[in-house]
Amino acid sequence: MPSRLDKNMGPVVELIAGSYEQITFGYRLCTSEEEWTATADFTHHAHTASVSAVATSERYIATGSRDETIQIYDMKKKIEHGALLHHDGTISCLEFYGSSHLLSGGQDGLLCVWSTKNWECLKSIRAHKGQVTSLSVHPSGKLALTVGTDKTLRTWNLIDGRSAFIKNIKQNALLVKWSPPGDKYVLVVNDHVDVYDLETATVTSTIINPKRISSIKFLNNSVLAIAGDDQTVRLFDINTQKLLCEFEAHETRVKSVDSFTMEDLCVVVTASNDGFIKLWKLNLETLGSPQLLGKVNTTARLTCLSVWQPTSLQESPPEIKTEPATSQGTDLNRPVLDWVGPDFSKKRVRISTVEVVIEESSSPKKKKDGGKKKQKT
């Protein structure tokens, strides 16, 4: 099914960007043969600290922040949908699987799986001893990868919420990402990208970027866009390690890169500390110098970026068990979804959800308080 159409602007595409100024920006694209323009659609100022992560699904936008909350915005109704309160510390990474689940990782080392139907926290897994720096869900929805400041890469079985594989790495990884087919994954450590084969779990190739890497995006099965601590975006072939194309995207370092396709057109979207979001037309066949399609100045210091492009829904993932199945976990107080819709502007209604058990990758030491965590209010 093609992208949903807007009466005046053709396929619906919005650019969602978070900032140090605590604001999330939404810009609706207007595409034409002559020029592409971005019109301000909304600003979401629900956080009390800088926005650290953003993710989009068919209906919702999720933003994470240093204020320890995940804010949900309903793109269908154009309203604030609520706040998820479960993590302690900065929300470092967010990713939707289709329209049914949201995964979050944070400074507290937790990997949480949320249902978008009622926003219950189905699983809360003690993924790393340090911060979870990045996560990626396999296209099948059955596996997830996480990396953390404990210098480990971990594979998680999302059916039962258990660790399936642990790999020690020499340094703290910044990013991890599955390839579109799910047969490979890439791991970013400083300025290196290691490409792993899923079956053998071994490195098949290594790409070296001139600068520290801050963001990556697969443009197709083999072409990886890399942005880092300079003004340039570089495209590499993960199989041959060949530099296919590079272009100067901004005047300062590029903080985030994303992409979308429209018919046969590949559009690379970049965001920078200079406040600009830019769109670049790229021919993946010839991989020549990209053409600047348009740009918008948010006047803010941008931290993260995601493209919202509603399409046909993905197939439902495998059922994730809500009952804890471990003898090692320690009970948590039930997480709370604070609903702050338009009818409750002055009154916050708390909706209790199912009890969640933290699953430890190794046997934890008993705490004086019995391992229970105080619930946020």
Side-chain angles (χ1 to χ4, degrees):
M1 180 183 290
S3 299
R4 194 181 67 185
L5 297 181
D6 185 281
K7 294 181 180 179
N8 301 316
M9 295 180 285
V12 171
V13 179
E14 290 214 15
L15 311 178
I16 314 298
S19 66
Y20 283 111
E21 287 78 9
Q22 309 170 6
I23 299 173
T24 303
F25 299 91
Y27 290 91
R28 177 67 61 92
L29 284 185
C30 179
T31 62
S32 66
E33 294 183 359
E34 295 79 17
E35 184 183 9
W36 286 30
T37 58
T39 305
D41 186 39
F42 69 90
T43 55
H44 189 210
H45 195 173
H47 291 291
T48 58
S50 59
V51 181
S52 52
V54 61
T56 59
S57 71
E58 188 76 11
R59 177 171 178 175
Y60 298 105
I61 291 172
T63 56
S65 170
R66 295 178 64 87
D67 66 7
E68 306 184 353
T69 70
I70 301 170
Q71 298 286 342
I72 308 298
Y73 189 84
D74 189 328
M75 290 295 287
K76 182 178 180 180
K77 297 182 179 180
K78 298 293 183 181
I79 60 170
E80 295 181 12
H81 192 68
L84 306 179
L85 308 179
H86 189 72
H87 287 280
D88 285 328
T90 300
I91 311 300
S92 51
C93 44
L94 295 168
E95 185 172 316
F96 281 97
Y97 178 78
S99 299
S100 56
H101 294 87
L102 171 69
L103 281 77
S104 61
Q107 189 177 21
D108 52 10
L110 295 182
L111 170 65
C112 296
V113 182
W114 307 84
S115 167
T116 61
K117 182 179 179 179
N118 51 18
W119 296 108
E120 289 182 354
C121 185
L122 303 178
K123 282 287 180 180
S124 181
I125 304 166
R126 182 73 66 185
H128 293 270
K129 294 180 180 178
Q131 175 180 344
V132 179
T133 54
S134 181
L135 68 88
S136 184
V137 185
H138 191 268
S140 68
K142 296 179 180 180
L143 297 174
L145 295 173
T146 62
V147 290
T149 53
D150 57 1
K151 299 181 181 179
T152 63
L153 164 70
R154 297 177 184 246
T155 306
W156 300 95
N157 183 332
L158 292 180
I159 304 300
D160 58 17
R162 293 183 182 275
S163 177
F165 179 75
I166 302 174
K167 180 178 179 60
N168 293 318
I169 49 184
K170 295 180 180 180
Q171 295 175 282
N172 291 329
L174 304 173
L175 300 166
V176 65
K177 181 80 69 176
W178 287 104
S179 65
D183 60 336
K184 295 181 175 66
Y185 58 89
V186 295
L187 188 69
V188 174
V189 177
N190 292 325
D191 58 354
H192 284 59
V193 180
D194 289 329
V195 182
Y196 286 80
D197 180 78
L198 174 60
E199 291 188 2
T200 62
T202 57
V203 177
T204 59
S205 61
T206 298
I207 296 168
I208 301 178
N209 197 57
K211 297 290 185 178
R212 177 182 177 274
I213 298 169
S214 58
S215 181
I216 56 175
K217 173 68 178 181
F218 275 99
L219 303 186
N220 60 23
N221 294 349
S222 60
V223 177
L224 184 69
I226 298 176
D229 287 350
D230 60 0
Q231 306 95 322
T232 304
V233 174
R234 297 173 179 88
L235 309 184
F236 287 90
D237 187 310
I238 64 170
N239 298 316
T240 64
Q241 306 97 56
K242 181 182 178 182
L243 175 62
L244 304 173
C245 170
E246 62 180 330
F247 60 97
E248 187 172 312
H250 294 269
E251 294 182 358
T252 59
R253 64 176 178 166
V254 181
K255 288 290 292 183
S256 189
V257 60
D258 203 350
S259 71
F260 64 92
T261 56
M262 186 177 293
E263 297 177 351
D264 295 330
L265 183 66
C266 176
V267 180
V268 177
V269 187
T270 59
S272 169
N273 278 343
D274 61 12
F276 279 93
I277 303 173
K278 295 185 179 182
L279 299 104
W280 307 86
K281 176 183 176 181
L282 183 66
N283 187 326
L284 290 178
E285 297 296 329
T286 62
L287 288 171
S289 298
Q291 174 189 349
L292 180 63
L293 291 172
K295 61 182 180 180
V296 59
N297 187 4
T298 66
T299 69
R301 296 170 298 160
L302 302 180
T303 57
C304 49
L305 169 74
S306 185
V307 173
W308 181 68
Q309 187 182 24
T311 58
S312 58
L313 297 179
Q314 298 184 31
E315 294 182 1
S316 299
E319 185 69 22
I320 298 178
K321 297 178 182 178
T322 57
E323 296 87 2
T326 178
S327 59
Q328 300 181 24
T330 53
D331 291 343
L332 284 179
N333 287 334
R334 290 191 295 267
V336 171
L337 170 62
D338 273 5
W339 191 271
V340 283
D343 296 331
F344 308 112
S345 57
K346 294 183 180 179
K347 181 179 179 181
R348 297 174 69 85
V349 180
R350 301 193 303 179
I351 305 174
S352 296
T353 62
V354 298
E355 188 171 11
V356 176
V357 167
I358 285 185
E359 307 238 3
E360 298 281 358
S361 58
S362 60
S363 298
K365 295 180 180 179
K366 292 184 179 180
K367 297 182 180 179
K368 293 181 180 180
D369 60 357
K372 292 190 176 181
K373 174 183 172 185
K374 293 183 179 179
Q375 181 172 299
K376 289 178 179 286
T377 57

